[in-house]
């Protein structure tokens, strides 16, 4: 009878050259799969792990073959979480809502909804990473059945334990196999992250070393301040822009992505608190915020957050020599404009002089062109009995203001008189 393994006398080992070829192929495959990980700055991977730590459902969007599934597999390994993969498009709605099982007395006890086996395994384990793959190929009826699973973590009568995290992946409709747009209710339950490939990461990974996914380190002492900052950031923006509280996009494609609603703003608040406690970069926070409420509202929120930490103009006027100004040009410009506005609101010779000293410090520590507009405006606030401070000479090389202080005041007075005369003439002509 033919056999795959050649006969050898008792006590001797087979010649490696005579080993079954499938075993040799297996050894080669094992060598090819052998890879290590290394700490590496990866913004999208950090955003993913931060959302997972915050226990928010994440949806990775990317073209086929971009590495979404591989990233989730590596994440589960790094976090020591058992990975359960469910291909949404090959399941029926009852697989997520529960299968009806007739009991002994359905008239008294009703018909229970039995969960699928993978849900039972997750509950028994008490923890795990549930990966809903190919979400954009799931039919609308299946998407509707997934609503309760994603939001309430319920499948039939079973509730997933807190130790289970949910991550999904989808291809854009243009590149999905028989794809559908995500329904607005389902899309609004996810943090949407665009998954792209990094050339250096791919090259180094194919060489055997991939980035290591690690949960963010949260500073326990910063937790109360992080929550306070997140609440002030979100509530401050929505108080000023009430139209952003809920804005359902008009196009079908946009409705299948991130958009603002009370639910997604609550998720955003949570992510800001986690990112603040973890000391994450602005780039990571931007990915998370825009992936939750959309690009427009997300960018507005980020801009308002930048201004939350700007120094108080009154504090700067009280000690211009010791003032610390922002490094970013747009934030520095906003601070200087705020100082000039504070002097205009409460004009005083000492405050006017302090503002000039602050502009001098701005020129010494940053781009001189940023002081031109606030300095010109500040010059118009001079009163006749105010002497031009000596410090203004130090700005002469940048904006030549020492020679323009008096003319600027005269021009401002003339413009004001002309505007008043024009208004009076317009009223007289009625």
């Amino acid at each position: 009878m033919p056999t795959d393994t050649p006969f050898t006398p008792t006590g001797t080992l087979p010649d490696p050259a005579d080993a079954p070829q499938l075993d040799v192929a297996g050894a080669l495959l094992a060598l090819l799969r052998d890879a290590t990980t290394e700490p590496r700055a990866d913004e999208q991977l950090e955003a993913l792990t931060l959302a997972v730590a915050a226990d928010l459902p994440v949806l990775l969007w990317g073209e086929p073959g971009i590495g979404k599934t591989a990233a989730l597999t590596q994440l589960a390994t790094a976090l020591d979480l058992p990975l359960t993969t469910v291909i949404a498009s090959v399941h029926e709605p009852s697989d997520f809502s529960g299968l009806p099982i007739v009991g002994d007395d359905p008239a008294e006890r009703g018909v229970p909804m039995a969960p699928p086996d993978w849900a039972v395994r997750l509950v028994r384990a008490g923890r795990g990473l549930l990966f809903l793959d190919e979400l954009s190929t799931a039919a609308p009826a299946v998407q509707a059945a997934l609503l309760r699973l994603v939001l309430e973590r319920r499948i039939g009568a079973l509730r997933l334990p807190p130790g289970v995290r949910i991550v999904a992946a989808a291809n854009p409709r243009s590149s999905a196999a028989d794809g559908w747009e995500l329904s607005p209710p389902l899309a609004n339950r996810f943090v949407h992250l665009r998954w792209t490939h990094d050339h250096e990461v791919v090259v180094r990974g194919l060489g055997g070393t991939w980035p290591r996914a690690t949960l963010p380190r949260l500073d326990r002492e910063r937790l109360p301040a992080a929550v306070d900052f997140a609440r002030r950031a979100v509530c401050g923006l929505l108080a000023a822009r009430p139209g952003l509280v809920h804005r359902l996009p008009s196009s079908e494609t946009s409705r299948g992505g991130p958009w603002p609603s009370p639910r997604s703003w609550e998720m955003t608040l949570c992510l800001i608190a986690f990112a603040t406690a973890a000391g994450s970069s602005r780039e990571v926070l931007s990915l998370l915020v825009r992936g939750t409420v959309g690009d427009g509202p997300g960018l507005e929120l980020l801009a308002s957050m930048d201004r939350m930490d700007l120094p108080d103009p009154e504090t700067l006027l009280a000690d211009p020599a010791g003032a610390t100004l922002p490094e970013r040009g747009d934030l520095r410009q906003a601070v200087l404009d705020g100082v000039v506005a504070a002097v205009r609101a409460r004009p005083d010779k000492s405050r006017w002089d302090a503002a000039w000293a602050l502009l001098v410090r701005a020129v010494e520590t940053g781009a001189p062109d940023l002081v031109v507009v606030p300095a010109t405006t500040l010059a118009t606030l001079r009163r006749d009995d105010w002497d031009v401070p000596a410090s203004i000479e130090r700005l002469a090389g940048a904006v030549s203001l020492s020679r323009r202080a008096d003319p600027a005041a005269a021009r401002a007075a003339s413009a004001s008189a002309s505007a008043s005369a024009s208004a009076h003439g317009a009223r007289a002509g009625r």
Side-chain angles (χ1 to χ4, degrees):
M1 178 179 295
T3 179
D4 292 335
T5 305
F7 172 79
T8 56
T10 303
T12 63
L13 295 176
D15 187 342
D18 296 327
Q21 286 302 300
L22 284 182
D23 291 348
V24 178
L28 179 56
L29 289 173
L31 290 174
L32 287 170
R33 293 173 184 143
D34 187 21
T36 60
T37 60
E38 64 178 358
R40 181 186 177 93
D42 189 316
E43 293 169 0
Q44 63 182 10
L45 187 57
E46 183 180 349
L48 171 60
T49 56
L50 198 66
V52 168
D55 198 15
L56 295 175
V58 187
L59 176 54
L60 305 182
W61 287 95
E63 299 295 336
I66 206 71
K68 302 184 294 296
T69 303
L72 262 297
T73 303
Q74 199 268 330
L75 175 65
T77 302
L79 302 182
D80 192 26
L81 292 176
L83 178 65
T84 299
T85 301
V86 177
I87 309 297
S89 59
V90 300
H91 285 269
E92 297 293 331
S94 57
D95 293 339
F96 300 106
S97 59
L99 297 168
I101 302 296
V102 179
D104 295 335
D105 194 351
E108 291 292 332
R109 300 181 179 273
V111 178
M113 306 298 287
D117 61 337
W118 55 263
V120 174
R121 290 197 302 270
L122 282 171
V123 171
R124 287 175 177 171
R127 53 199 296 273
L129 185 64
L130 174 57
F131 179 32
L132 302 174
D133 203 2
E134 305 293 344
L135 197 63
S136 57
T137 60
V142 176
Q143 292 188 28
L146 283 169
L147 292 176
R148 200 173 183 216
L149 167 61
V150 174
L151 185 63
E152 301 178 19
R153 312 296 176 91
R154 286 190 176 276
I155 309 97
L158 196 65
R159 185 181 181 88
L160 296 179
V164 174
R165 300 296 194 263
I166 297 178
V167 181
N171 301 321
R173 185 175 183 179
S174 59
S175 57
D178 193 21
W180 301 77
E181 296 290 0
L182 246 60
S183 67
L186 183 59
N188 198 237
R189 284 164 165 78
F190 281 104
V191 179
H192 299 252
L193 295 179
R194 299 289 174 181
W195 204 257
T196 59
H197 77 276
D198 183 308
H199 170 263
E200 294 184 2
V201 170
V202 172
V203 171
R204 187 156 179 78
L206 292 176
T209 305
W210 294 97
R212 181 179 306 149
T214 56
L215 285 176
R217 288 186 172 274
L218 304 176
D219 187 344
R220 184 177 294 275
E221 295 182 356
R222 298 176 64 181
L223 300 187
V227 172
D228 178 68
F229 177 78
R231 287 176 173 166
R232 287 190 294 114
V234 173
C235 295
L237 175 66
L238 297 184
R241 299 274 281 116
L244 293 180
V245 173
H246 187 278
R247 181 183 290 177
L248 182 64
S250 57
S251 70
E252 182 184 7
T253 301
S254 299
R255 290 181 179 184
W259 49 274
S261 72
R263 178 192 295 122
S264 58
W265 281 116
E266 183 180 11
M267 295 165 62
T268 301
L269 191 153
C270 178
L271 290 170
I272 293 175
F274 267 78
T276 303
S280 299
S281 68
R282 189 179 190 277
E283 289 72 21
V284 171
L285 181 60
S286 176
L287 291 175
L288 292 168
V289 168
R290 291 186 293 114
T292 308
V293 294
D295 287 338
L299 291 174
E300 283 196 51
L301 176 61
L302 292 169
S304 67
M305 289 171 59
D306 288 338
R307 285 163 173 76
M308 284 176 59
D309 290 333
L310 295 182
D312 184 4
E314 296 298 335
T315 302
L316 298 177
L317 289 171
D319 183 20
T324 301
L325 299 173
E327 294 293 333
R328 276 177 47 186
D330 59 331
L331 301 183
R332 177 169 290 214
Q333 185 80 66
V335 167
L336 298 179
D337 290 343
V339 168
V340 174
V343 175
R344 179 191 288 112
R346 192 156 56 90
D348 178 82
K349 177 63 166 62
S350 61
R351 291 163 60 82
W352 194 67
D353 291 343
W356 284 115
L358 191 65
L359 293 182
V360 170
R361 182 167 180 80
V363 169
E364 294 173 344
T365 60
D369 60 310
L370 295 178
V371 308
V372 174
V373 173
T376 303
T377 306
L378 187 62
T380 66
L381 303 179
R382 179 177 178 266
R383 296 183 177 178
D384 295 338
D385 57 339
W386 291 358
D387 294 331
V388 176
S391 60
I392 202 172
E393 294 291 344
R394 301 171 68 178
L395 298 174
V399 292
S400 303
L401 285 172
S402 61
R403 297 189 301 273
R404 291 177 11 204
D406 287 335
R411 286 196 302 273
S414 176
S416 177
S418 299
S420 177
S422 299
H424 178 73
R427 287 193 299 269
R430 291 196 180 101

